[in-house]
Amino acid sequence: MDIVGNVLPQVLKDEATEDKGEMARLQSFVGAIAVADLVKTTLGPKGMDKILKPTGPGQEMTHITVTNDGATILKSMYVENPAAKILIEISKTQDEEVGDGTTTVAVLAGELLREGEKLIQKRIHPQHVIAGWRIARDVALKRLRDISSENDINSQEFHDDLVKIARTTLSSKLITSDRDYFADLCVKAVLRLKGSSNLDYIQIIKLPGGTIRDSYLDDGFILKKQITIGCKRRIENAKILVANTAMDYDKIKIYGTKVKVNSMDKVAEIEAAEKEKMKHKVDKILKYQPTVFVNRQLIYNYPEQLLADSGITVIEHADFEGMERVAAATGAEILSTFDAPERSAQVLGHCDLIEEIMIGEEKMIKFSGCKKNEACTIVLRGASTHILDEVDRSIHDALCVLITTVKNKRVVWGGGNSEMQMAAACEEEAKKVQGKQAFAIEAFARALRQIPTIICDNGGYDSAELIQNFKVELQKGNQSCGLNMTDGTIGNMSELGVKECLRVKEQALMAASEAAELIMRVDDIVKCAPRKRERA
Ligand code: ADP
Ligand code: MG
């Protein structure tokens, strides 16, 4: 930068600040590593849980969250550091893409940066580091794919794999002691989907009360609503009209009209006119000939009575999600206008039986034998809402992973096996590469090896010794060895049944290395308020 006289030319506005070069990079490293360290202790089957408690007015104890899920922890954090934000983002993406490995991805990115920082201190230029990491990532990815295996989707082996994968995912969660029970439940639910990846068909209902073991899988779809009084409570061979429409007379509500009248007669006239409009709408609905009418919005007394008189069962004020699911499961279309009764056959949903059931103390409506027979419901019971929420998150993770596995079919051994294999591949590669990049490749291997190291540490085992034994075991050619987290030894993953979905590992590897690269490239952080719009 040219210095004019003694004055630095001022580019940025007064309030804006700029961190350059080393300082900028240091800031990014510190932020990212801090985030990774925060979730580090939750990694693995012996990982700890965290309590998240929002502060500020109106945030009572009921809002606290107890969780082990990386994405949940990171999502709820509000950070200032840009690099930290990037890590939070990749964890969220991991959650949305594959559902599991959310801690792994953040920890791996953090460990990569920790190694990166050391390389920079050794005066290796970031571009060399990045080039090395890219080579390492490709080698690791290739090894990961090579060690994965695939089974025929209809075979018993594949089914067993699914159960093992679900168990592995659940083993780091609160419900680890009941993981067999839940793994089985999740696999059954996912297999019902018959290859579809629409999680909407699997409804999760949380009902405080009972114990976790009272949770069960119900085939059919359960809506957390009650049937309106005066209607039939049991409908066989139901034809369902799902609607999102206002049943009162809209105009007055929408325009907030004030009506001035000089006598009570006039009020009666308006009322009569309104009633007439409601009746008109109900008549239009009746033309579709449904036997059940589900509406997103309230249905007022008068239309309700009209519908009930025509023998139609009315369910009002269904929540949006619930309604969409009813539509999906029964094959209905959600209507808001009723001008095409000739399309009735296409837009009405079908199911064999609708009935009111009791779960715990609550009345609910069950739709069985739905047109799209994939639909099912997992009813979760547990002592408190905090437990239920965490069980819900865990089940959701497991379901996502299972769906991904059904799509991708390839699986790898868990318990740190894949990370150790990838690290070994990187180290072999480093021996072949000339120049400084080799350091970066070795660093990549060390970062990968940190994952099993942290899993060991979290279990209270001697990681230095275990990881060395692990290396030796792999070297000997024992392809399925891995961490036995009950005994603190190196065990056989095929005996222990610890398997994981290849996609989860792939995604974690790619996302973590991309994020680390992105952060590594930074050499300037400019902080300033967004430019104000200037008047033309
Ligand atoms: P994430 O949020 O990244 O999924 P987890 O806390 O679920 O983090 O931990 C996942 C890691 O724990 C994986 O690397 C997996 O191989 C390992 N793991 C899970 N269950 C076991 C087990 N029973 N024995 C050994 N390792 C396990
Ligand atoms: Mg997990």
Side-chain angles (χ1 to χ4, degrees), residues 7-26:
V7 196
L8 263 170
Q10 189 172 5
V11 181
L12 300 172
K13 275 194 89 164
D14 286 346
E15 310 93 70
T17 57
E18 188 185 13
D19 289 317
K20 282 182 132 341
E22 293 291 282
M23 274 314 286
R25 208 168 285 127
L26 194 68

Side-chain angles (χ1 to χ4, degrees), residues 209-371:
T211 66
I212 295 186
R213 274 284 175 145
D214 296 331
S215 308
Y216 63 94
L217 180 79
D218 203 320
D219 49 346
F221 177 85
I222 295 176
L223 189 68
K224 234 175 149 179
K225 275 279 141 199
Q226 290 186 20
I227 294 176
T228 307
I229 301 161
C231 298
K232 270 198 277 178
R233 301 288 75 218
R234 189 185 154 86
I235 306 104
E236 277 170 30
N237 209 353
K239 285 189 259 165
I240 308 153
L241 183 77
V242 186
N244 184 3
T245 184
M247 292 303 289
D248 54 344
Y249 183 43
D250 333 331
K251 289 218 170 80
I252 290 188
K253 194 171 70 189
I254 293 170
Y255 298 117
T257 322
K258 249 190 198 164
V259 187
K260 265 194 183 167
V261 287
N262 15 13
S263 76
M264 279 313 279
D265 287 356
K266 294 279 179 201
V267 178
E269 258 175 49
I270 294 173
E271 267 181 7
E274 266 212 48
K275 270 191 161 178
E276 190 49 43
K277 293 231 158 75
M278 289 181 184
K279 180 151 183 358
H280 185 60
K281 199 163 200 176
V282 171
D283 284 342
K284 283 213 260 179
I285 291 171
L286 288 179
K287 287 223 178 85
Y288 283 79
Q289 296 178 321
T291 52
V292 179
F293 180 62
V294 184
N295 194 13
R296 160 88 184 92
Q297 302 180 29
L298 280 175
I299 304 173
Y300 297 86
N301 289 351
Y302 180 62
E304 192 175 288
Q305 188 197 332
L306 288 177
L307 288 164
D309 286 349
S310 321
I312 296 179
T313 297
V314 180
I315 301 165
E316 64 168 353
H317 216 192
D319 57 315
F320 200 75
E321 258 196 359
M323 191 188 75
E324 285 205 321
R325 288 200 168 126
V326 172
T330 60
E333 248 178 59
I334 301 175
L335 295 186
S336 48
T337 54
F338 307 94
D339 296 322
E342 69 280 0
R343 288 190 64 239
S344 154
Q346 287 110 293
V347 297
L348 292 191
H350 289 271
C351 80
D352 294 342
L353 178 67
I354 297 181
E355 61 186 335
E356 205 169 52
I357 54 163
M358 293 281 286
I359 302 178
E361 317 273 82
E362 270 190 73
K363 273 190 191 156
M364 303 203 178
I365 309 168
K366 180 170 164 187
F367 298 68
S368 7
C370 297
K371 188 172 170 190

Side-chain angles (χ1 to χ4, degrees), residues 42-45 68 100-104 168 171-172 414-416 419 455 483 485 498 500 505:
T42 67
L43 186 71
N68 175 286
D100 196 17
T102 52
T103 321
T104 309
T168 310
S171 66
S172 55
E419 284 86 2
I455 297 179
L483 298 172
M485 289 300 285
V498 183
E500 282 182 292
K505 293 285 163 192

